[in-house]
Amino acid sequence: MLTTAERPRRSLAASVLLATALAAGITATDVTSAAATALPGAARAGSTADTAVRASWPTVKSGQRGVDVATVQLLLTARGYTLTADGVFGSGTAAKVKAFQRAKHLTADGIVGPNTWTKLVVTVKSGSKGAAVKAVQRQLTDNGYAVTADGVFGSGTAAKVKAFQKAKHLTANGVVDVQTWAALVRGGGGTGGGGGKLSDAQAAARLRAAGITRSSSGNCTNRNNKNCTSLQDIRVRTVDGVIALKRKSGCRIVITGGTEVGHAGGTYSHWNGYKVDVARTSCVTNYIHGHSRKHHKRGDGAWVWRVTSGGRTVIDYADENWANHWDVTYY
C-alpha cells in the first residue's frame, strides 16, 4: 500500500508519463497502461511502456516505396481496407489511408505518422493468421531475420520474433505488440522513402528471401576488398529495385558487384549504395531492352538504357558487356 507521502509522487509520475505519451502519439489504451505502472518519481526505466513512449515511428506517404509502404498496405487490409501490397504508395493507398484515418477520428491527410501507426498496427502472436502476420514476416526479413511471408504465425516466426525482441532489448515473449511493431518499422529499411541503408546481413536476407543470389571472385563480403561482393551500406531503394527486377522479369538474378571498393566513385556510386552489378544473361538483357529506352553511350563505351517516371530518371542500366554484367543504378 502507498503511504500518504508516496501518493502525490506517484500521481505526478503518472501525469508526466501521460503527457509524454500523448506527445509521442501513443494510443489512449497504451497511455492508461503506462500511467498505471509508473513508479514514484519517474517511469520505470526499460519497461515496455517506456519503450512505447520513446518509439520513433517512420513517416510514410505518397510517392514512397519499400517494405514500410507494403506494411501499411497489409495492415490496412487487415483492418478491412483491402489493398495490393506492392510497396508503392500511390493514390489508391492514399485514399485507403484517409478513409482509415477518418474512421479513427484522425486528421485525414493520407500521411502515416505516429498517430496513424498506433491505430493501424495489430497485435499478433502464435496462431495468428492473415495480412498483419505477413506484414510482420516481411519486416522481420527486412531487419535481417529472414522468414517466409506466408501469413501464418508458426513456431518459425515466433522464434524470429523472439530473437529480434532480444536484440532490441524488448520482452522476448514472441508477441508483436505496439512496442515490437515500432522497433520493426524503424529498424533496417525503416525509412519509408528508401534512402536508408542496410547492413550486409539485412540486405542479404531480403535478397535471399526473394530468390536472388550473389557471387564473388574472392568468395567474401568485405567491402574493403575489391575481390569481394559486399552489400554493406547498400540503400533500401537499391535492394527494393533488384527485388522488383527479379519479380517483374522472372529472370534468375545474380549480384556480382555491390558496395565494395574498386568501382568508379561519385555520388551515385557502388560505394554509396546506389549501384549493383547484375549478371548479364539473355533473360535479363531482353527484359531491360523491352522495358527501358536506349539513352546514351558512356565514356567507357557502355550503352545506358534508362527508365524515367514523371520526368525524372529512376533507373539506369549500363551494359558492361565486356565484364558480362549490367551496371544498374537506382536513383
Side-chain angles (χ1 to χ4, degrees):
M1 179 179 294
L2 295 178
T3 67
T4 302
E6 288 173 327
R7 287 194 187 97
R9 290 201 299 271
R10 178 158 184 169
S11 177
L12 176 60
S15 298
V16 171
L17 183 56
L18 175 63
T20 305
L22 288 172
I26 304 303
T27 61
T29 301
D30 295 319
V31 171
T32 302
S33 175
T37 57
L39 289 178
R44 290 187 297 173
S47 69
T48 55
D50 185 49
T51 302
V53 169
R54 293 185 286 105
S56 176
W57 299 87
T59 297
V60 183
K61 57 186 179 181
S62 292
Q64 295 182 340
R65 296 169 178 261
V67 70
D68 286 347
V69 176
T71 295
V72 167
Q73 293 166 329
L74 286 164
L75 287 171
L76 283 167
T77 296
R79 292 289 190 179
Y81 299 81
T82 305
L83 279 168
T84 300
D86 59 3
V88 179
F89 202 124
S91 58
T93 299
K96 291 296 177 72
V97 169
K98 290 177 183 178
F100 174 80
Q101 290 171 326
R102 283 192 291 268
K104 295 297 181 180
H105 307 292
L106 300 169
T107 300
D109 56 6
I111 298 172
V112 183
N115 292 327
T116 302
W117 273 115
T118 54
K119 295 285 188 181
L120 188 59
V121 295
V122 178
T123 297
V124 293
K125 57 186 178 180
S126 291
S128 298
K129 296 182 179 182
V133 174
K134 188 173 289 187
V136 167
Q137 292 166 329
R138 291 187 65 167
Q139 282 288 346
L140 284 168
T141 295
D142 191 56
N143 278 275
Y145 299 81
V147 63
T148 301
D150 58 5
V152 179
F153 202 124
S155 58
T157 298
K160 293 297 175 71
V161 169
K162 289 177 183 178
F164 174 81
Q165 289 171 325
K166 287 179 183 177
K168 296 297 181 181
H169 308 291
L170 299 170
T171 301
N173 58 7
V175 177
V176 184
D177 55 9
V178 64
Q179 291 81 29
T180 301
W181 270 115
L184 281 168
V185 301
R186 71 174 186 266
T191 63
K197 295 189 175 183
L198 303 173
S199 68
D200 185 88
Q202 289 171 333
R206 292 190 60 194
L207 293 167
R208 188 164 53 247
I212 297 168
T213 58
R214 63 171 157 178
S215 66
S216 162
S217 61
N219 194 30
C220 50
T221 61
N222 179 5
R223 76 183 310 221
N224 294 305
N225 183 337
K226 67 178 182 180
N227 294 317
C228 299
T229 298
S230 177
L231 300 172
Q232 182 65 41
D233 290 340
I234 194 168
R235 296 171 74 246
V236 174
R237 164 76 180 115
T238 304
V239 172
D240 287 342
V242 178
I243 292 173
L245 174 62
K246 164 72 174 177
R247 184 179 70 250
K248 293 177 181 178
S249 69
C251 300
R252 178 172 177 264
I253 303 296
V254 180
I255 294 176
T256 61
T259 60
E260 65 280 352
V261 297
H263 300 280
T267 300
Y268 301 108
S269 63
H270 282 269
W271 181 263
N272 288 337
Y274 287 84
K275 287 176 173 271
V276 289
D277 292 335
V278 173
R280 191 181 188 278
T281 64
S282 58
C283 182
V284 170
T285 298
N286 290 338
Y287 174 81
I288 291 171
H289 286 177
H291 294 81
S292 58
R293 182 171 60 87
K294 194 173 185 180
H295 191 266
H296 67 277
K297 183 182 285 189
R298 292 193 323 198
D300 61 0
W303 273 101
V304 175
W305 295 70
R306 177 162 290 179
V307 178
T308 59
S309 177
R312 69 182 186 89
T313 303
V314 178
I315 310 171
D316 273 342
Y317 299 104
D319 190 359
E320 297 185 358
N321 53 75
W322 61 87
N324 203 30
H325 66 240
W326 284 91
D327 177 51
V328 189
T329 309
Y330 294 98
Y331 295 96

